[in-house]
Every structure is written in C-alpha cells, then in structure tokens.
Amino acid sequence: QQQVKQSPQSLIVQKGGISIINCAYENTAFDYFPWYQQFPGKGPALLIAIRPDVSEKKEGRFTISFNKSAKQFSLHIMDSQPGDSATYFCAASMDNFNKFYFGSGTKLNVKP
Amino acid sequence: DAGVTQSPTHLIKTRGQQVTLRCSPKSGHDTVSWYQQALGQGPQFIFQYYEEEERQRGNFPDRFSGHQFPNYSSELNVNALLLGDSALYLCASSLKVGGNQPQHFGDGTRLSIL
C-alpha cells in the first residue's frame, strides 16, 4: 500500500510559468511533509517542508500548500526556470520517527 | 563541512553474491537511514540506525542488514543478491534530538546485479 501518492508523473512547463505537483496521503499520524529535488546522478536534496499546523509555507519561488482535511499537499514553483528541471519527490513522516515515505516522483521539464 | 558521503559510487555484482555499501554521515549527525531507489521510483525506507542499533525497519527481507559504528558511519549489507536488488542505494543522515530533523542524502551507490 502506497502511503503517499504523487501526481503528475511528468510535467512540461514553459520558462516563467508555474509548476504544480500534488500529493495525497492516508495516514493522519503524518505530521511532517518535505519536498525533495533530485538531479540525475545525485541524491535528493531538501527543498522545503511543512507541518500540518499551517496551510502554506513559502521560500523564495517555492510554496507548499497544505489541506489537512483533504489530506493533500502541493508544491508550487513560481517563475519556473530551466535550472528547475529535475525530479521532485514529496514525502511524509511521523514525529520522532524520521522514517520517510516518499511519493513516486514527478519529472519536471522547464522549456526555455 | 562535508555532507553525506557514500562508497563506492557504482558496483556490479552477480546473483547470489554479497555486497557491502558504506556511508559517512554529515558532520554532527548521529542517525543514519538507508533507502533503496529503483529506477523511476521514489526512495523506499530500508532501516535506520541510531546509537549503533537498528531502530526502525521497512518492508525488506533479512538479507538486508546493517551496522553503525561508534563514529556514526554505517554499512549496508545485502546477501544472496537477486536481480531485483539492482537499484540506487541512498544513505541519509540526521540529528535524532528534536524529532523530524531534516534528512541529508548522499549521492548514492548504484548497484547493478547481472
């Protein structure tokens, strides 16, 4: 059973556009939701994370929107750039466990 | 400040063999987690080590075992290798205190089984 479901599998966005990636979870015990960015040949790098006591968190061009009642959260990349082209993973964990459940990933391609 | 380092970067083995992968955590971190990432998939949690003991384990068979040393570095051992074990193996380190500390990943070991 997949704990975190991610969509879309792939995404093509024009430079300057907004990229949106969605994730949904089932386990209401999850209370920490990070997003990771992974380039080919590299390990995942933490982008931004949110806890369910807030509905939105913004860091630069990256924003997480969180809907606790719907058990959904999303990553918005504003003013997308070709350098943002990578695979993005959402994840979830329960406090003090540090065991992360990852989504299946979204391959983002930002066209110049 | 060195991040998480893993060795080797690539490894080729045949079915039935055994393999050991190594990880040095980010400076100051005391917890090491191992993940398996199949091609085109998200990382899957194998197990976590803290204070030289396995603290949590994912849905992986006993062929997968590990160890953590007093300097917090860690090894992942896989016995009786199967073709399906071909994957990128990622090590992540974090600080246990406080819970849900950010995990820092290494660049992984690419394991290919022939």
Side-chain angles (χ1 to χ4, degrees):
Chain A
Q1 179 188 3
Q2 195 173 3
Q3 297 268 5
V4 180
K5 295 183 179 179
Q6 184 172 346
S7 63
Q9 188 175 2
S10 62
L11 184 60
I12 299 175
V13 173
Q14 292 295 321
K15 179 182 176 182
I18 302 174
S19 304
I20 302 174
I21 304 171
N22 301 299
C23 283
Y25 64 97
E26 287 298 323
N27 192 338
T28 55
F30 288 144
D31 65 355
Y32 181 70
F33 302 89
W35 284 89
Y36 284 85
Q37 178 190 58
Q38 186 175 29
F39 292 103
K42 296 292 186 180
L46 179 65
L47 259 182
I48 185 173
I50 197 169
R51 294 187 184 274
D53 52 348
V54 297
S55 60
E56 186 175 282
K57 184 175 181 180
K58 184 176 181 179
E59 289 184 2
R61 295 185 295 112
F62 300 94
T63 299
I64 299 179
S65 296
F66 188 85
N67 186 330
K68 188 174 182 178
S69 60
K71 294 186 286 185
Q72 295 176 347
F73 58 110
S74 60
L75 175 69
H76 295 232
I77 306 175
M78 314 300 286
D79 187 26
S80 298
Q81 299 296 313
D84 296 331
S85 297
T87 299
Y88 292 80
F89 294 96
C90 61
S93 74
M94 290 170 273
D95 196 17
N96 291 323
F97 283 83
N98 271 314
K99 173 182 178 180
F100 288 86
Y101 297 88
F102 282 81
S104 55
T106 297
K107 189 171 184 179
L108 172 64
N109 185 6
V110 181
K111 297 284 192 181
Chain B
D1 181 20
V4 179
T5 58
Q6 293 186 242
S7 63
T9 54
H10 293 86
L11 205 50
I12 299 175
K13 292 286 188 178
T14 57
R15 283 178 296 174
Q17 285 189 311
Q18 178 265 344
V19 69
T20 297
L21 311 181
R22 295 176 176 82
C23 171
S24 292
K26 179 179 170 65
S27 178
H29 285 181
D30 57 8
T31 302
V32 172
S33 301
W34 286 92
Y35 291 81
Q36 180 194 66
Q37 186 177 20
L39 200 61
Q41 299 296 317
Q44 287 200 356
F45 178 81
I46 302 175
F47 43 53
Q48 181 183 85
Y49 277 84
Y50 171 66
E51 292 184 330
E52 302 180 48
E53 291 188 15
E54 183 182 296
R55 299 292 178 170
Q56 292 192 76
R57 190 178 184 90
N59 189 24
F60 280 80
D62 292 344
R63 298 187 297 110
F64 290 77
S65 63
H67 190 77
Q68 186 180 34
F69 299 93
N71 67 352
Y72 308 120
S73 67
S74 177
E75 289 182 349
L76 164 65
N77 301 293
V78 187
N79 295 323
L81 287 166
L82 304 173
L83 292 177
D85 295 332
S86 294
L88 179 68
Y89 288 85
L90 294 163
C91 170
S93 73
S94 58
L95 191 59
K96 194 67 172 178
V97 174
N100 277 328
Q101 295 293 328
Q103 292 204 338
H104 296 254
F105 283 84
D107 289 335
T109 294
R110 173 70 64 186
L111 176 62
S112 299
I113 311 301
L114 302 180

